[in-house]
Amino acid sequence: MAIGKHLNKAREGIDREKLYPLADAIKMVKERAKAKFDETIEVAINLGVDPRHADQMVRGVVTLPNGTGRTLRVGVFARGAKADEAKAAGADVVGAEDLVEKVQNGSIDFDRCIATPDMMPLVGRLGKVLGPRGLMPNPKIGTVTMDVTSAVKGAKGGSVEFRVEKAGILQAGVGKASFSEEKLVENIKALADAVSKAKPAGSKGTYIQRVAVSSTMGPGVKVEPGTILG
């Protein structure tokens, strides 16, 4: 009941049918982020795609200019010099066969997973474990790479993976309620730019259809799609 009352109060002053300019929407969301912790600011984008078709899948990675406000634990599958590079770049967990065994036994001590190409035959065995968690390394989003230094630093510095879900909705955390409005606007525009560039050839009609921003515990505010680009 307390949560319901809190949400109803937070919704006061928000027109559920109106589309607000991005800056106004961010201001409203920040004003209503009253939880005892630093709430995550999230954006949801409805895309004009049908992800059931391979030629309409939208996924990628973007480094937010102001970071995410989260400290990610990064795991790297690598050997030898590449393993040393990963450790030097700040990776939290680095290994080869030993790390595969740990993950198979249910020990997953990372939020982002990176692998060198030569490790993929080994890492491929972990598909059933890492896949459902969205952790499987993928060359399309830069998590299968020989440049482990850049990949690790990117993950630590605020890179965000995005992937459209079955209903054509893409969701991502773009910062914290403690961020300034300007920083959140910059982050959302960077995400929108990356999503726009990832538009698949199979997408017809309006690509970015609906947008909403919210905080972890707060109500959603609808955004005028044109204000998130550029």
Side-chain angles (χ1 to χ4, degrees), residues 147-183:
D147 189 0
V148 292
T149 297
S150 294
V152 171
K153 287 185 176 178
K156 286 286 189 179
S159 67
V160 170
E161 289 182 31
F162 57 86
R163 178 174 181 158
V164 69
E165 298 164 7
K166 287 181 181 178
I169 299 171
L170 182 152
Q171 295 177 297
V174 291
K176 295 291 184 178
S178 59
F179 283 23
S180 69
E181 292 168 26
E182 292 77 11
K183 286 185 176 181

Short mmCIF file of all heavy atoms in Angstrom, two decimals, residues 147-183:
data_model
loop_
_atom_site.label_atom_id
_atom_site.label_comp_id
_atom_site.label_asym_id
_atom_site.label_seq_id
_atom_site.Cartn_x
_atom_site.Cartn_y
_atom_site.Cartn_z
N ASP A 147 41.47 -6.52 -28.47
CA ASP A 147 41.77 -5.27 -27.77
C ASP A 147 41.08 -5.28 -26.41
O ASP A 147 40.13 -4.53 -26.15
CB ASP A 147 41.29 -4.08 -28.61
CG ASP A 147 41.77 -2.74 -28.03
OD1 ASP A 147 42.46 -2.74 -27.00
OD2 ASP A 147 41.42 -1.69 -28.62
N VAL A 148 41.57 -6.15 -25.53
CA VAL A 148 40.91 -6.31 -24.22
C VAL A 148 41.05 -5.06 -23.36
O VAL A 148 40.18 -4.76 -22.54
CB VAL A 148 41.45 -7.55 -23.47
CG1 VAL A 148 41.03 -8.83 -24.16
CG2 VAL A 148 42.95 -7.50 -23.29
N THR A 149 42.12 -4.31 -23.56
CA THR A 149 42.32 -3.09 -22.77
C THR A 149 41.18 -2.11 -23.00
O THR A 149 40.56 -1.62 -22.05
CB THR A 149 43.66 -2.43 -23.12
OG1 THR A 149 44.73 -3.33 -22.78
CG2 THR A 149 43.85 -1.13 -22.34
N SER A 150 40.87 -1.84 -24.27
CA SER A 150 39.79 -0.90 -24.58
C SER A 150 38.44 -1.43 -24.13
O SER A 150 37.60 -0.69 -23.61
CB SER A 150 39.74 -0.62 -26.08
OG SER A 150 40.90 0.07 -26.50
N ALA A 151 38.23 -2.74 -24.30
CA ALA A 151 36.95 -3.34 -23.92
C ALA A 151 36.73 -3.26 -22.42
O ALA A 151 35.63 -2.92 -21.96
CB ALA A 151 36.89 -4.79 -24.39
N VAL A 152 37.76 -3.55 -21.66
CA VAL A 152 37.64 -3.50 -20.19
C VAL A 152 37.43 -2.06 -19.73
O VAL A 152 36.56 -1.77 -18.90
CB VAL A 152 38.88 -4.12 -19.50
CG1 VAL A 152 38.84 -3.86 -17.99
CG2 VAL A 152 38.94 -5.61 -19.77
N LYS A 153 38.25 -1.16 -20.26
CA LYS A 153 38.12 0.25 -19.85
C LYS A 153 36.77 0.82 -20.24
O LYS A 153 36.19 1.63 -19.52
CB LYS A 153 39.27 1.08 -20.45
CG LYS A 153 40.60 0.80 -19.77
CD LYS A 153 41.71 1.71 -20.29
CE LYS A 153 43.00 1.47 -19.52
NZ LYS A 153 44.12 2.31 -20.03
N GLY A 154 36.25 0.39 -21.42
CA GLY A 154 34.93 0.83 -21.85
C GLY A 154 33.85 0.36 -20.89
O GLY A 154 32.97 1.13 -20.48
N ALA A 155 33.92 -0.92 -20.51
CA ALA A 155 32.94 -1.48 -19.59
C ALA A 155 33.01 -0.80 -18.23
O ALA A 155 31.99 -0.52 -17.59
CB ALA A 155 33.16 -2.98 -19.44
N LYS A 156 34.21 -0.52 -17.79
CA LYS A 156 34.39 0.15 -16.49
C LYS A 156 34.02 1.63 -16.57
O LYS A 156 33.60 2.22 -15.57
CB LYS A 156 35.87 0.03 -16.05
CG LYS A 156 36.27 -1.35 -15.56
CD LYS A 156 35.70 -1.60 -14.18
CE LYS A 156 36.24 -2.85 -13.55
NZ LYS A 156 35.68 -3.07 -12.20
N GLY A 157 34.16 2.22 -17.76
CA GLY A 157 33.96 3.66 -17.89
C GLY A 157 32.56 4.09 -18.26
O GLY A 157 32.30 5.27 -18.45
N GLY A 158 31.64 3.14 -18.39
CA GLY A 158 30.27 3.55 -18.64
C GLY A 158 29.67 3.11 -19.96
O GLY A 158 28.74 3.72 -20.46
N SER A 159 30.21 2.02 -20.54
CA SER A 159 29.59 1.54 -21.77
C SER A 159 28.33 0.75 -21.41
O SER A 159 28.28 0.06 -20.40
CB SER A 159 30.56 0.68 -22.58
OG SER A 159 30.87 -0.52 -21.91
N VAL A 160 27.31 0.89 -22.24
CA VAL A 160 26.02 0.23 -22.01
C VAL A 160 25.67 -0.62 -23.22
O VAL A 160 25.71 -0.14 -24.35
CB VAL A 160 24.91 1.29 -21.78
CG1 VAL A 160 23.53 0.65 -21.79
CG2 VAL A 160 25.14 2.03 -20.47
N GLU A 161 25.35 -1.87 -22.99
CA GLU A 161 24.86 -2.73 -24.05
C GLU A 161 23.35 -2.51 -24.18
O GLU A 161 22.66 -2.34 -23.19
CB GLU A 161 25.13 -4.20 -23.73
CG GLU A 161 26.58 -4.60 -23.81
CD GLU A 161 26.79 -6.08 -23.53
OE1 GLU A 161 25.87 -6.87 -23.87
OE2 GLU A 161 27.83 -6.44 -22.98
N PHE A 162 22.87 -2.50 -25.42
CA PHE A 162 21.43 -2.40 -25.62
C PHE A 162 20.98 -3.47 -26.60
O PHE A 162 21.72 -3.85 -27.51
CB PHE A 162 21.01 -1.00 -26.11
CG PHE A 162 21.67 -0.54 -27.38
CD1 PHE A 162 21.15 -0.89 -28.62
CD2 PHE A 162 22.82 0.26 -27.33
CE1 PHE A 162 21.75 -0.45 -29.80
CE2 PHE A 162 23.43 0.70 -28.51
CZ PHE A 162 22.88 0.35 -29.74
N ARG A 163 19.77 -3.96 -26.37
CA ARG A 163 19.23 -5.01 -27.24
C ARG A 163 17.71 -4.92 -27.20
O ARG A 163 17.12 -4.85 -26.13
CB ARG A 163 19.69 -6.39 -26.76
CG ARG A 163 19.11 -7.53 -27.59
CD ARG A 163 19.70 -8.85 -27.19
NE ARG A 163 19.16 -9.94 -28.00
CZ ARG A 163 19.75 -11.10 -28.17
NH1 ARG A 163 20.92 -11.34 -27.59
NH2 ARG A 163 19.19 -12.04 -28.89
N VAL A 164 17.09 -4.92 -28.37
CA VAL A 164 15.64 -4.83 -28.42
C VAL A 164 15.03 -6.16 -27.98
O VAL A 164 15.54 -7.23 -28.27
CB VAL A 164 15.17 -4.45 -29.85
CG1 VAL A 164 15.40 -5.57 -30.85
CG2 VAL A 164 13.71 -4.03 -29.84
N GLU A 165 13.94 -6.08 -27.20
CA GLU A 165 13.27 -7.28 -26.72
C GLU A 165 12.17 -7.70 -27.69
O GLU A 165 11.91 -7.01 -28.69
CB GLU A 165 12.69 -6.99 -25.32
CG GLU A 165 13.77 -6.65 -24.30
CD GLU A 165 13.21 -5.99 -23.05
OE1 GLU A 165 11.97 -5.92 -22.91
OE2 GLU A 165 14.02 -5.54 -22.22
N LYS A 166 11.49 -8.80 -27.38
CA LYS A 166 10.51 -9.40 -28.30
C LYS A 166 9.43 -8.41 -28.75
O LYS A 166 8.99 -8.44 -29.88
CB LYS A 166 9.86 -10.62 -27.66
CG LYS A 166 10.79 -11.82 -27.58
CD LYS A 166 10.08 -13.01 -26.96
CE LYS A 166 11.04 -14.20 -26.86
NZ LYS A 166 10.39 -15.36 -26.20
N ALA A 167 8.96 -7.57 -27.84
CA ALA A 167 7.87 -6.66 -28.17
C ALA A 167 8.34 -5.40 -28.90
O ALA A 167 7.56 -4.48 -29.13
CB ALA A 167 7.13 -6.26 -26.89
N GLY A 168 9.63 -5.36 -29.25
CA GLY A 168 10.16 -4.18 -29.94
C GLY A 168 10.56 -3.06 -29.01
O GLY A 168 10.71 -1.92 -29.43
N ILE A 169 10.73 -3.39 -27.72
CA ILE A 169 11.09 -2.39 -26.72
C ILE A 169 12.56 -2.55 -26.33
O ILE A 169 13.04 -3.66 -26.11
CB ILE A 169 10.21 -2.51 -25.45
CG1 ILE A 169 8.74 -2.30 -25.81
CG2 ILE A 169 10.65 -1.51 -24.40
CD1 ILE A 169 7.78 -2.60 -24.69
N LEU A 170 13.24 -1.43 -26.26
CA LEU A 170 14.64 -1.40 -25.84
C LEU A 170 14.73 -0.60 -24.54
O LEU A 170 14.18 0.50 -24.46
CB LEU A 170 15.48 -0.77 -26.95
CG LEU A 170 16.99 -0.67 -26.80
CD1 LEU A 170 17.63 -0.68 -28.18
CD2 LEU A 170 17.40 0.61 -26.07
N GLN A 171 15.37 -1.16 -23.53
CA GLN A 171 15.49 -0.47 -22.24
C GLN A 171 16.95 -0.39 -21.82
O GLN A 171 17.73 -1.31 -22.08
CB GLN A 171 14.69 -1.21 -21.17
CG GLN A 171 13.19 -1.22 -21.42
CD GLN A 171 12.43 -2.02 -20.38
OE1 GLN A 171 12.60 -3.22 -20.25
NE2 GLN A 171 11.58 -1.34 -19.63
N ALA A 172 17.31 0.70 -21.17
CA ALA A 172 18.68 0.86 -20.71
C ALA A 172 18.75 1.85 -19.54
O ALA A 172 17.98 2.81 -19.48
CB ALA A 172 19.58 1.35 -21.84
N GLY A 173 19.67 1.57 -18.63
CA GLY A 173 19.96 2.52 -17.56
C GLY A 173 20.93 3.56 -18.08
O GLY A 173 21.93 3.21 -18.72
N VAL A 174 20.63 4.84 -17.84
CA VAL A 174 21.45 5.90 -18.43
C VAL A 174 22.05 6.85 -17.39
O VAL A 174 22.50 7.94 -17.73
CB VAL A 174 20.62 6.72 -19.45
CG1 VAL A 174 20.30 5.89 -20.67
CG2 VAL A 174 19.34 7.26 -18.82
N GLY A 175 22.07 6.42 -16.14
CA GLY A 175 22.66 7.27 -15.10
C GLY A 175 21.91 7.15 -13.80
O GLY A 175 21.08 6.24 -13.62
N LYS A 176 22.20 8.05 -12.89
CA LYS A 176 21.59 8.03 -11.56
C LYS A 176 20.82 9.32 -11.32
O LYS A 176 21.08 10.35 -11.95
CB LYS A 176 22.68 7.87 -10.49
CG LYS A 176 23.41 6.53 -10.54
CD LYS A 176 22.50 5.39 -10.12
CE LYS A 176 23.24 4.06 -10.05
NZ LYS A 176 22.35 2.97 -9.60
N ALA A 177 19.88 9.25 -10.39
CA ALA A 177 19.07 10.43 -10.06
C ALA A 177 19.93 11.58 -9.55
O ALA A 177 19.54 12.75 -9.65
CB ALA A 177 18.01 10.06 -9.03
N SER A 178 21.11 11.26 -9.02
CA SER A 178 22.02 12.29 -8.52
C SER A 178 22.74 13.04 -9.64
O SER A 178 23.34 14.09 -9.41
CB SER A 178 23.05 11.67 -7.58
OG SER A 178 23.80 10.67 -8.25
N PHE A 179 22.68 12.51 -10.86
CA PHE A 179 23.30 13.19 -12.00
C PHE A 179 22.55 14.50 -12.27
O PHE A 179 21.35 14.60 -12.02
CB PHE A 179 23.22 12.33 -13.26
CG PHE A 179 24.21 11.21 -13.35
CD1 PHE A 179 24.80 10.66 -12.22
CD2 PHE A 179 24.54 10.66 -14.58
CE1 PHE A 179 25.71 9.61 -12.31
CE2 PHE A 179 25.44 9.61 -14.69
CZ PHE A 179 26.03 9.10 -13.55
N SER A 180 23.23 15.46 -12.84
CA SER A 180 22.56 16.70 -13.24
C SER A 180 21.65 16.42 -14.43
O SER A 180 21.84 15.43 -15.16
CB SER A 180 23.59 17.76 -13.63
OG SER A 180 24.24 17.41 -14.84
N GLU A 181 20.68 17.29 -14.64
CA GLU A 181 19.77 17.14 -15.78
C GLU A 181 20.56 17.15 -17.09
O GLU A 181 20.28 16.37 -18.01
CB GLU A 181 18.73 18.27 -15.78
CG GLU A 181 17.74 18.19 -14.63
CD GLU A 181 16.92 19.46 -14.47
OE1 GLU A 181 16.74 20.17 -15.48
OE2 GLU A 181 16.46 19.73 -13.35
N GLU A 182 21.57 18.01 -17.16
CA GLU A 182 22.37 18.13 -18.38
C GLU A 182 23.09 16.82 -18.70
O GLU A 182 23.14 16.38 -19.87
CB GLU A 182 23.39 19.26 -18.26
CG GLU A 182 22.79 20.66 -18.20
CD GLU A 182 22.19 21.01 -16.83
OE1 GLU A 182 22.44 20.25 -15.86
OE2 GLU A 182 21.48 22.03 -16.75
N LYS A 183 23.66 16.19 -17.68
CA LYS A 183 24.39 14.94 -17.90
C LYS A 183 23.46 13.82 -18.34
O LYS A 183 23.81 13.00 -19.21
CB LYS A 183 25.15 14.53 -16.63
CG LYS A 183 26.37 15.39 -16.37
CD LYS A 183 27.16 14.88 -15.17
CE LYS A 183 28.45 15.69 -14.98
NZ LYS A 183 29.24 15.18 -13.82
#
